Amino acid sequence: MYYSKLLIPTLRDDPSDAETVSHKLMLRAGLIRKVASGVYSLLPLGRRVLSKVEKIVREEMEKAGAQEVLLPALQPAELWQETGRWDKYGRELMRLQDRHDRDFCLGPTHEEVITDLIRREVRSYKQLPLNLFQIQTKFRDEIRPRFGLMRGREFLMKDAYSFDADVRAAETSYRRMYAAYHTIFSRIGLHFRAVEADTGQIGGSSSHEFMVLAQTGEDAIVSCDRCEYAANVERAELREASTSSSAETRKAPPKMASVSTPGQKSVEEVCAFLKVSAHALVKTLLFVADDLPVAVLVAGHHDVNEIKLQKELGAATLALANRETVEAVTGGPSGFSGPVGLQDIDILADFSLKAQRECIIGANKQDTHFKHAVAGRDFQISRYADLRNAIAGDPCPRCPGKLVIDRGIEVGHVFMLGTKYSDTMDARFLDQHGKKQPFVMGCYGIGLSRIVAAAIEQNHDAHGIVWPRQIAPFDVEIIPMQEKKAPVMDAAIQLLSALEAKGLQVLFEDRKERAGVKFNDADLLGIPLQIVVSERNLEAGIVELKDRKSGEKQGFALDQVVDAIMRPGNGPISE
Ligand code: ATP
Ligand code: MG
């Protein structure tokens, strides 16, 4: 394809409204343009990359036995009311009304629609297992759409749903999808890790997230430095700290005493002011769980994990208490809360505090903390539990190893749903004995448009994008340096035909631009191989082949460069 004919509006400078590398580069390389917050147009190069991702995903889904369907984006409220999600999904659900004032939403996901289809069409165990997938636009009115395609309000997802006769068969479906996901992300050329994920309110069964490792990832993931254990930080279990007996025998801490901490609210401020480490401090956070206040204590260097807390409390709703509630419950201003004197509310403490003999805590009084506070002596703990996020160096829950923390971008999610939807929507089939049974379901999502951003996040350098070969918008870019010189153009066009004849996708840089501009744009676009055809090299009978990733340049005779590109280990097709 000729560059001059394509819409590739490159930008020389970083756009001011883009924060992440991938967002900047997608705008600069002319892959996307913003239409509204979280809503983007894909331009020709962006569309090409996305199509390649789609192709790989589609192929692997079909290999894994899933059948493609296309469900509607526009969904009637009744289906969502049946599962209760019309209310539960909250403001992320894009709602609208038709001309008859009937409620609809634009699908953020498709469990309701697919379960409705299957309960109408599948009657017998003989029709199972069944796995249906689609590639379709999803709509979610995210609180904070950002980073371009990474977190959009409209985005492309592959979602698949499996239906099985029993849990064992459903586990087989789950494992097949899990394996297919491994193949997909490997084929795309991503450096990724599958981690155990939280199953949220659904609880119980398995769930894994596929994370592309990248510094800018919104998710923190833990993995063990010894064994295979890896989990989303929200999910990572922490063991109860062992209380050392020597601690018991040491002499009791001095009496609790108040210290003045004027204006020092945060852990950092208090620690700096009192010249102690964050380990010495205990944070007291007030939450409201199902309308009841509860105090939660964690060490100064730890953070409360709200998912664990909510599970521990068995609460349907959980939120940090607002300023008024904090004042009403503690009698002091927020920022100085502590457990001493708190009455009539549960005080939960993280496991790790069991081993702590004394601590510094808020005194429920303006500009005041207590030192030498001792649990059981100066304040009471209702119970200890695993309530915090893992941090680097925590012990692995499976082996004597230690946890390390990485950042990741969630590109895929596999989830055992069990009978959650088949029960609420009464979707049942007849088993061998003629008895009605609920379908056992699984659901499996991949963020196709997010993958494009994640791939760039992982594959770029100071000059621009460095596409993994399988999803590059073109395989090769030919750059004739002097477009006015007939021998240069003749040789370049000859190469174009030869490469296209081999089935390669070639971008032909025919613009009337300075060589410097062409080179810079070529590096920005990140096509894996560049062939530079120059007058001087042609006189010696050669052209230059540049590998975008390594930057290596090599001269090849004009009639050998195509073979060199197609050679296993070098050609874009062969990897
Ligand atoms: P996140 O925690 O990032 O919001 P999610 O858990 O809500 O993701 P799922 O419902 O599991 O996501 O959706 C399946 C996949 O769709 C995710 O793994 C992710 O790759 C992608 N995805 C989800 N939300 C968005 C979004 N707003 N923009 C782009 N891709 C998204
Ligand atoms: Mg989400």
Side-chain angles (χ1 to χ4, degrees):
M1 277 197 193
Y2 288 91
Y3 197 132
S4 65
K5 306 270 187 296
L6 278 167
L7 180 64
I8 312 177
T10 55
L11 307 173
R12 194 185 303 207
D13 299 313
D14 280 341
S16 58
D17 59 343
E19 291 168 59
T20 52
V21 173
S22 60
H23 190 193
K24 285 179 194 162
L25 287 175
M26 288 183 92
L27 288 165
R28 282 190 54 208
L31 298 162
I32 56 168
R33 285 294 182 263
K34 181 171 160 179
V35 176
S37 168
V39 181
Y40 288 84
S41 296
L42 271 97
L43 278 51
L45 286 189
R47 176 68 255 193
R48 290 179 76 91
V49 176
L50 188 61
S51 299
K52 293 196 173 180
V53 173
E54 279 177 46
K55 182 167 178 285
I56 292 171
V57 170
R58 187 172 271 122
E59 283 171 9
E60 295 303 327
M61 281 298 110
E62 284 174 353
K63 269 193 221 156
Q67 307 166 37
E68 186 161 1
V69 293
L70 184 57
L71 306 170
L74 190 63
Q75 305 180 8
E78 290 77 45
L79 287 179
W80 287 74
Q81 281 154 353
E82 241 185 277
T83 59
R85 289 212 291 184
W86 183 255
D87 296 322
K88 251 197 229 145
Y89 218 95
R91 302 188 68 178
E92 225 172 86
L93 194 62
M94 289 274 195
R95 296 159 208 256
L96 66 160
Q97 290 187 325
D98 70 6
R99 62 173 75 207
H100 308 292
D101 294 336
R102 281 191 285 252
D103 287 323
F104 282 83
C105 67
L106 294 174
T109 177
H110 279 72
E111 283 83 6
E112 281 79 359
V113 171
I114 196 108
T115 308
D116 179 52
L117 176 77
I118 298 304
R119 73 177 163 186
R120 289 167 194 273
E121 306 304 331
V122 179
R123 300 258 162 262
S124 158
Y125 72 95
K126 290 181 196 146
Q127 294 166 278
L128 302 176
L130 194 60
N131 191 334
L132 301 174
F133 80 98
Q134 64 171 340
I135 289 179
Q136 207 224 30
T137 303
K138 297 281 191 272
F139 299 86
R140 294 184 183 179
D141 200 355
E142 299 271 358
I143 305 179
R144 275 202 293 166
R146 55 187 184 154
F147 307 156
L149 297 192
M150 200 73 90
R151 184 168 294 284
R153 296 199 294 165
E154 172 178 328
F155 59 96
L156 197 66
M157 198 202 283
K158 182 288 300 177
D159 45 331
Y161 305 87
S162 61
F163 296 84
D164 280 283
D166 55 43
V167 172
R168 259 184 111 176
E171 277 165 0
T172 305
S173 299
Y174 182 88
R175 279 196 296 275
R176 266 186 120 171
M177 283 287 128
Y178 182 90
Y181 274 38
H182 262 271
T183 313
I184 287 168
F185 298 123
S186 305
R187 276 187 64 186
I188 292 173
L190 295 170
H191 182 38
F192 69 97
R193 188 171 288 154
V195 305
E196 288 182 14
D198 190 76
T199 48
Q201 299 290 23
I202 298 166
S205 27
S206 335
S207 168
H208 286 90
E209 287 166 350
F210 286 77
M211 297 284 191
V212 163
L213 301 178
Q215 274 312 314
T216 49
E218 288 185 291
D219 289 276
I221 52 182
V222 300
S223 51
C224 177
D225 64 0
R226 280 214 204 168
C227 74
E228 290 300 297
Y229 181 73
N232 190 313
V233 95
E234 293 171 349
R235 151 89 184 200
E237 315 141 35
L238 295 169
R239 284 181 308 209
E240 188 167 348
S242 54
T243 35
S244 65
S245 56
S246 60
E248 312 289 335
T249 53
R250 270 186 269 139
K251 70 176 176 26
K255 266 179 77 177
M256 185 172 81
S258 64
V259 278
S260 169
T261 47
Q264 316 295 317
K265 288 186 176 183
S266 71
V267 170
E268 293 74 31
E269 287 166 353
V270 176
C271 290
F273 187 78
L274 297 177
K275 299 194 176 58
V276 294
S277 87
H279 294 70
L281 202 85
V282 167
K283 290 193 274 200
T284 305
L285 289 113
L286 265 289
F287 286 88
V288 178
D290 292 346
D291 299 331
L292 278 179
V294 51
V296 179
L297 310 188
V298 292
H301 62 299
H302 289 152
D303 285 318
V304 173
N305 178 318
E306 293 191 20
I307 295 174
K308 290 182 181 177
L309 176 61
Q310 188 167 359
K311 267 196 198 149
E312 175 63 30
L313 293 168
T317 62
L318 179 81
L320 259 178
N322 60 23
R323 186 186 296 254
E324 293 74 45
T325 311
V326 171
E327 285 173 7
V329 172
T330 69
S334 79
F336 295 93
S337 298
V340 177
L342 288 192
Q343 273 165 5
D344 304 327
I345 71 167
D346 269 346
I347 302 177
L348 270 62
D350 180 63
F351 275 150
S352 65
L353 297 181
K354 255 190 174 174
Q356 193 147 355
R357 299 185 70 227
E358 60 165 277
C359 59
I360 297 167
I361 45 168
N364 297 326
K365 196 171 146 198
Q366 183 71 40
D367 299 339
T368 314
H369 281 75
F370 286 127
K371 59 182 181 180
H372 307 309
V374 177
R377 183 185 77 179
D378 305 311
F379 60 92
Q380 300 307 317
I381 302 286
S382 317
R383 63 182 187 274
Y384 289 91
D386 174 14
L387 298 175
R388 66 173 174 96
N389 286 335
I391 59 170
D394 274 331
C396 171
R398 301 275 165 79
C399 82
K402 293 229 177 308
L403 299 180
V404 288
I405 309 251
D406 289 299
R407 296 212 70 83
I409 301 165
E410 182 194 322
V411 288
H413 196 171
V414 291
F415 208 108
M416 267 288 261
L417 289 171
T419 56
K420 177 182 153 86
Y421 291 90
S422 27
D423 281 339
T424 46
M425 295 185 73
D426 196 25
R428 298 193 283 167
F429 64 95
L430 292 177
D431 69 10
Q432 292 103 306
H433 314 292
K435 227 178 124 206
K436 275 193 169 181
Q437 301 285 0
F439 294 99
V440 185
M441 292 173 59
C443 71
Y444 317 92
I446 292 186
L448 300 181
S449 40
R450 184 180 281 182
I451 283 178
V452 178
I456 298 177
E457 219 46 65
Q458 229 174 36
N459 300 279
H460 65 268
D461 62 17
H463 306 289
I465 304 170
V466 184
W467 286 113
R469 293 189 165 184
Q470 292 292 345
I471 60 167
F474 289 93
D475 299 313
V476 186
E477 176 169 348
I478 299 178
I479 310 171
M481 275 176 67
Q482 300 85 8
E483 67 279 344
K484 291 199 190 86
K485 303 273 169 140
V488 170
M489 285 311 261
D490 288 350
I493 288 172
Q494 191 186 325
L495 276 176
L496 170 66
S497 317
L499 289 168
E500 286 187 340
K502 295 280 186 193
L504 298 196
Q505 296 175 351
V506 186
L507 178 64
F508 191 81
E509 171 50 296
D510 60 332
R511 293 180 306 164
K512 292 180 181 43
E513 290 284 0
R514 281 183 294 113
V517 172
K518 293 183 180 183
F519 290 146
N520 285 345
D521 276 347
D523 281 354
L524 175 63
L525 299 192
I527 291 159
L529 294 171
Q530 301 169 11
I531 304 178
V532 180
V533 185
S534 73
E535 198 172 22
R536 188 147 53 99
N537 276 339
L538 269 188
E539 278 164 13
I542 58 168
V543 293
E544 198 178 70
L545 181 65
K546 176 176 157 183
D547 181 296
R548 171 67 183 90
K549 188 168 182 184
S550 66
E552 257 171 53
K553 294 174 188 167
Q554 228 186 321
F556 283 97
L558 189 56
D559 58 355
Q560 281 171 12
V561 69
V562 176
D563 284 347
I565 288 174
M566 299 307 291
R567 209 173 293 139
N570 191 26
I573 293 294
S574 58
E575 273 182 16

